[in-house]
Amino acid sequence: SPAGLARYSNVRSWLSQWSVDLSRADALACLPHTSVPTFVLHNAKDHLAFPSHAKGMYSAIPHNRKKYYEAEDATHYFFGQPDVLTTVAAAICDWLVAEKLVRIPPAEISPPLSLEDLRTSYGPATLATKLEIQGLNHVVLVSSDMDRTVKFVCGKLGFPLVKAFPVFDGAQHFFFDAGNGCHLAYFWYPKAPPSFPGVSSASPKDPEAKSAHGSMNHVAWRVPTGKLSAYRQTLADRGVLVSEVIYHDNSGGFSDKLTPTVSWASCYFYGPDGEYFEFTEQHHVFGTPEQEIEVAPKTRREIR
């Protein structure tokens, strides 16, 4: 079924797929008339479809833009085989790119970066494409109620409002001073879709605070060293539900107190629309790439 196995079905579509007498799903009869690029996949441990089936289909394709791929350990539905499924999906993606059927930016199909690549070519002293950036100017979030947002950002966070103006189609754009030339900004749209915690933003119900690819997970505001605990208490006194102070260790773990191995001390809280914020003190000055860059980057093929 084009929409998925038995997902949408009526008598005619069911008979077309499964009836020995009425089905038109005859690969060996239809494939000789195929002119488009074709990928034939055989799962080697499939007990329902046999190698002769896949090889027969491959042979029936009349052109050269075809590929036969045998997934060595794959079963019929890949049950309990996430690694095998990832390998097969990557092989299909590579074939789609080679056939120019999809476009993927070169950075996504080039060999993954190694740890040595990161340390020797991507650090502050060695990055050939480095530009003169003077820091963060502003971060823009979306408000469902700008009046409520102003009261929260000004009244609870203490960020002064410095600009507010109308934009297209009745929308609004507000800027708040976050210090040192950096601003927190918000849009308000009359027809914006609702928030979706856990996808468009982090969810308070998720202890890992994950959000979707392409989303902005959280914004961290740097506070003066020594003032984090006092600022955290100020937020709590103003009615903000704020975490305890968390000490991020250089190893990627956590400490229960400030030690020489702590990189950041932070507290976390949510805004009225679920926006995820952090107040942080940075206690560790980044050293050399050999000291600070500890892992090579993961790729989309490793997503579970």
Side-chain angles (χ1 to χ4, degrees):
S1 161
L5 186 61
R7 186 175 174 188
Y8 306 103
S9 189
N10 55 29
V11 173
R12 175 175 292 181
S13 65
W14 193 92
L15 288 172
S16 175
Q17 182 169 354
W18 296 109
S19 171
V20 173
D21 297 321
L22 301 176
S23 176
R24 295 184 178 181
D26 187 333
L28 297 183
C30 296
L31 284 172
H33 306 285
T34 301
S35 60
V36 297
T38 308
F39 187 99
V40 179
L41 169 65
H42 173 62
N43 292 355
K45 293 187 178 179
D46 189 334
H47 299 300
L48 300 175
F50 303 109
S52 59
H53 297 161
K55 291 177 180 177
M57 286 187 277
Y58 179 79
S59 298
I61 300 168
H63 56 77
N64 293 324
R65 294 186 69 184
K66 59 183 179 179
K67 181 178 180 65
Y68 179 84
Y69 183 90
E70 183 170 302
E72 182 177 351
D73 296 315
T75 57
H76 192 72
Y77 288 115
F78 296 94
F79 285 149
Q81 297 183 301
D83 293 338
V84 177
L85 180 59
T86 298
T87 299
V88 172
I92 295 172
C93 288
D94 290 342
W95 175 78
L96 290 170
V97 172
E99 287 289 342
K100 297 182 171 57
L101 297 176
V102 296
R103 293 183 178 180
I104 299 179
E108 293 190 23
I109 60 174
S110 60
L113 294 168
S114 68
L115 186 56
E116 185 63 22
D117 291 333
L118 295 182
R119 289 174 171 172
T120 59
S121 301
Y122 285 81
T126 56
L127 183 63
T129 54
K130 183 178 179 181
L131 299 177
E132 186 181 351
I133 302 299
Q134 297 179 333
L136 186 66
N137 183 275
H138 65 279
V139 173
V140 184
L141 306 177
V142 178
S143 168
S144 67
D145 185 327
M146 192 66 86
D147 179 78
R148 182 178 64 172
T149 295
V150 170
K151 292 173 181 175
F152 177 81
V153 176
C154 293
K156 298 184 183 299
L157 303 190
F159 292 12
L161 178 66
V162 292
K163 189 168 181 63
F165 56 98
V167 287
F168 46 85
D169 296 332
Q172 295 181 326
H173 204 10
F174 280 50
F175 283 73
F176 303 87
D177 186 352
N180 292 325
C182 180
H183 299 86
L184 172 62
Y186 282 85
F187 275 122
W188 178 88
Y189 300 111
K191 296 181 180 180
S195 63
F196 197 153
V199 179
S200 60
S201 60
S203 170
K205 297 179 180 180
D206 179 4
E208 296 182 359
K210 299 183 296 294
S211 58
H213 304 142
S215 66
M216 192 204 69
N217 185 270
H218 72 282
V219 180
W221 305 106
R222 185 169 186 168
V223 301
T225 301
K227 291 193 174 182
L228 178 65
S229 294
Y231 281 11
R232 184 214 163 268
Q233 188 59 51
T234 296
L235 292 178
D237 293 343
R238 292 174 178 176
V240 178
L241 185 61
V242 58
S243 76
E244 298 295 329
V245 174
I246 297 171
Y247 298 96
H248 300 270
D249 195 89
N250 289 342
S251 64
F254 302 95
S255 175
D256 59 357
K257 60 184 178 180
L258 184 61
T259 69
T261 63
V262 165
S263 293
W264 295 274
S266 306
C267 62
Y268 297 86
F269 53 95
Y270 286 88
D273 279 299
E275 57 271 56
Y276 194 29
F277 292 122
E278 172 187 353
F279 276 179
T280 187
E281 295 175 344
Q282 184 162 350
H283 292 276
H284 171 70
V285 177
F286 296 141
T288 66
E290 289 72 23
Q291 293 172 320
E292 306 295 345
I293 301 175
E294 302 178 47
V295 294
K298 300 286 187 181
T299 72
R300 58 187 172 86
R301 296 180 182 179
E302 298 169 272
I303 296 172
R304 294 289 184 262

